[in-house]
Amino acid sequence: MPSSKYYGFAGALALFCGVAQGAPATVPTPALAARLADFDGWVAQRMDKARIPGVTVGFSQGDVQWVKGYGYADLENRVPATARSSYRLASVTKPMTAVAILQLVEQGKVDLDAPVQTYVPYFPVKPFPVTVRQLLGHLGGIDAYRNSQVEQHFKEHKDTRQSIAVFEQFDLIAEPGTRFRYTSYGYNLLGAVIEGASGESYGGYMRRHVWGPLGMDATVLDDPDAVIAHRVRGYRLAGKEWKNSEFVDISSRFSAGGTRASVPDMLAFGRGVHAGKILSAASVAAMVQPMATRAGRLTNYGMGWEIFPTGGRYAIAHSGQQPETVTYLYSFPSRKLTLAVASNLERVNPEAFVQRLFEVVTGEPWQLNTYIVDAGAQRAYQVAQGLFEEGRAYAERTNEAYADAAATREAFTQINQQALAPDARAARAYIEAARHPAGGRVFLTAGASMARQLRDAGVDLNQYARGGALAFARDYIQLSQGIKAGDLPRFDPSFEQAIVTLAASWDRTAAIAWPAASVPIAARDSQLRAAFRGQRAYPDFVPELLDLAQASAARGETDAALAASRLAVELYPLSDRAHALQGLTLLRAGKTEPALAALRLALARDPLGAASPAALNLEAYRLKGSGAVAQGMAVLQAAVSLHPQDANLQDSLAEFYVEQGLHPQAVEAYRQALQLDPRYPGAVGAKAAIIRLGGETKALAP
């Protein structure tokens, strides 16, 4: 049956409010309900494009809650996805575990700075102490999966002791506190801490102290033997064809990703955390502070939450991905707004649903993408963006001043002297470090002061949802220029002039919308060129051009895909993402040499951007997940050519070879990875794979 019919059937399935005990009981206003009806159409298109069998999405704000299921929870039996559908939560379990730890801290049963063996005595002592606090922030030196072929495919049920045994003999990857390494194993240890400190099983503690008090009646530890109401079936894509997900028993990830719940329960958790229902205000404040390495680099992770300013807004979030599922929980505590999504298709991007629903609910764009034409002015914009993101988000979180007057003036002085210095390379390095403790957090110090001064002057900071960084910086500049000399810190005059000029251009172009989906690429080309002609700042539509190119390529419309990538480069020549888009599109069209040239240009624009090893590796797996395995392989081969010293790319290439039955090539790629870095995160698995694939063992020692 064509997938489009699924979505039309499921579009009528919605449960409003009252799904979870204690949930808000007010339905959306008629105006919001009308926008949500339009959201249905967007969801149908997104599901059709990504071949998503089923998804449930919802939000909670104040006393309003809306949750809706689309598509099917079970394709074979035509069971529709609804608000009650029970999905594997995957890593959205982690913030729940963090809450439990902080409850035990409040009760005096856990010391955040105590070694983990205080509560889990059977965990082997390592060369350095590993503390509970470090585990909460993924700074404990605990490794992630080393032999993914084994560790991510367990079929048997495991208890806590057996789950810890999987990794307890692993060496630390670094001295705790020195390196961020996202790992479910660290959160398994925290589950064991909960059991050791409370005297209860992990599941029992969570039911009595976290899930139960928040009315999360549908949240349970996943168990293949248990009868779980409204359990969804999980799926993966093989080409364009749906296949059942591989059966994996996830009990070995119990406190890191072993739960199952409904979207209303996800919303209840987010709502309960920022409402302070199960933690004190002090604990919540500690939980949502981003941690930093000993070298002073922010990790963008607090205690169980991803933390990063989003469009100048204060937000906390966590995503999840494992066999059968993807999930995302996003909360804007100051707005009392929580959004959640869960899908039963592996490796799809769930964040797009959250972003679109946010725009529907708030009427604000999720993120303003601004392109600056002049390379010199780009540096001024980067400074403005850093000040806006850090300062505006801080102002949304609290009314308290971040720093005193002396520290604030010093931050302005440093920005003027270093971020705007004539030496462009040194200035770029300073800007990159300016949001981190190692850089003195000068963007936060100065930006928080700017936001406070604007608010005190009667400016509604919410207006910057559409004006963005340029309007924010411009308004502060004009405010400081109108104040008696010396009363407010000032920026360098050249920076002030650059921002005022860019903001004026942005005022003229910010409202320009991406042309309708039915407009041919030639018409888009002429429309956008005419709209942007002579402007110094205008909307960055590279993400939209990327979607257009990918969709065209998937339909076999190579010329349209190439035209979209050419337009991206011509409109946005300073953008690394535009050049990477052109390179990847050329690669998919079989034009290897020009593709590599375009990717090298992307690297020159930003070595850590869209043509970095991590970005290309992610693109290869995205293509593989969509069924385009050969194209994914081509991306990896290009990535290895561009980054010959990256062990992880060789490891990924080996995995692709294995899946295609090319065992000699896989063995060689694994060997290359080990030769480049004998201790890279996948090294143990690579050695095991070489032996399993019949390779010689004599070359495996580091």
Side-chain angles (χ1 to χ4, degrees), residues 253-559:
R253 316 175 194 186
F254 68 113
S255 53
T259 56
R260 184 178 285 277
S262 66
V263 166
D265 274 20
M266 294 170 69
L267 296 174
F269 177 71
R271 187 170 60 247
V273 168
H274 63 58
K277 290 183 178 179
I278 52 175
L279 282 179
S280 68
S283 291
V284 172
M287 182 171 60
V288 299
Q289 285 289 342
M291 292 193 186
T293 65
R294 193 176 301 166
R297 303 289 296 184
L298 290 176
T299 63
N300 301 327
Y301 201 97
M303 298 182 185
W305 291 97
E306 301 160 1
I307 301 165
F308 198 83
T310 303
R313 307 176 190 95
Y314 163 48
I316 58 176
H318 215 292
S319 59
Q321 182 176 170
Q322 64 186 199
E324 301 187 18
T325 195
V326 292
T327 55
Y328 218 116
L329 177 64
Y330 230 103
S331 184
F332 297 86
S334 301
R335 298 169 178 234
K336 296 182 170 55
L337 172 62
T338 299
L339 307 102
V341 61
S343 174
N344 59 353
L345 179 65
E346 299 173 8
R347 293 189 176 277
V348 71
N349 176 16
E351 190 172 6
F353 290 89
V354 168
Q355 292 176 356
R356 184 71 172 194
L357 184 58
F358 173 88
E359 292 177 342
V360 168
V361 172
T362 66
E364 299 178 1
W366 175 264
Q367 190 77 272
L368 293 175
N369 295 316
T370 305
Y371 179 74
I372 307 300
V373 171
D374 178 65
Q378 277 193 339
R379 196 173 1 140
Y381 176 73
Q382 290 166 356
V383 171
Q385 184 72 7
L387 293 165
F388 170 65
E389 289 285 355
E390 296 289 334
R392 169 70 184 85
Y394 182 82
E396 183 167 279
R397 179 179 173 184
T398 178
N399 288 322
E400 297 179 4
Y402 177 73
D404 61 23
T408 299
R409 290 189 180 279
E410 175 60 25
F412 274 78
T413 298
Q414 286 193 27
I415 291 170
N416 288 332
Q417 292 178 348
Q418 299 188 55
L420 307 172
D423 185 340
R425 178 174 296 183
R428 282 196 299 270
Y430 181 81
I431 290 169
E432 195 278 329
R435 64 177 298 267
H436 297 278
R441 301 213 72 177
V442 294
F443 279 164
L444 175 56
T445 303
S449 174
M450 292 165 67
R452 185 179 182 87
Q453 295 296 338
L454 286 167
R455 186 167 54 195
D456 289 349
V459 176
D460 180 2
L461 297 180
N462 289 326
Q463 73 184 41
Y464 298 118
R466 295 192 177 278
L470 289 173
F472 175 80
R474 186 261 320 277
D475 290 355
Y476 176 81
I477 288 167
Q478 292 178 342
L479 178 67
S480 66
Q481 289 174 343
I483 299 293
K484 184 173 61 176
D487 282 1
L488 288 182
R490 290 279 303 273
F491 289 108
D492 182 89
S494 62
F495 172 78
E496 293 185 343
Q497 182 57 50
I499 292 297
V500 170
T501 301
L502 291 173
S505 184
W506 180 245
D507 287 344
R508 293 188 290 270
T509 62
I512 296 172
W514 175 246
S518 59
V519 176
I521 184 62
R524 295 172 195 265
D525 188 310
S526 60
Q527 288 177 17
L528 294 177
R529 287 180 192 277
F532 297 160
R533 187 173 296 117
Q535 298 300 327
R536 301 189 65 184
Y538 49 78
D540 185 341
F541 290 135
V542 171
E544 288 80 2
L545 287 162
L546 171 63
D547 284 346
L548 179 61
Q550 289 177 348
S552 299
R555 292 192 299 267
E557 299 170 359
T558 302
D559 288 345

Side-chain angles (χ1 to χ4, degrees), residues 558-559 561-563 565-566 582-600 634 638:
T558 302
D559 288 345
L562 290 170
S565 72
R566 282 195 301 272
Q582 184 173 54
L584 293 169
T585 307
L586 288 165
L587 203 60
R588 190 159 184 170
K591 303 176 185 294
T592 304
E593 288 307 314
L596 288 172
L599 290 171
R600 288 190 186 97

Side-chain angles (χ1 to χ4, degrees), residues 28 170 508 553 583 643 656 676:
F170 289 3
R508 293 188 290 270
H643 306 284
F656 273 62
L676 289 168

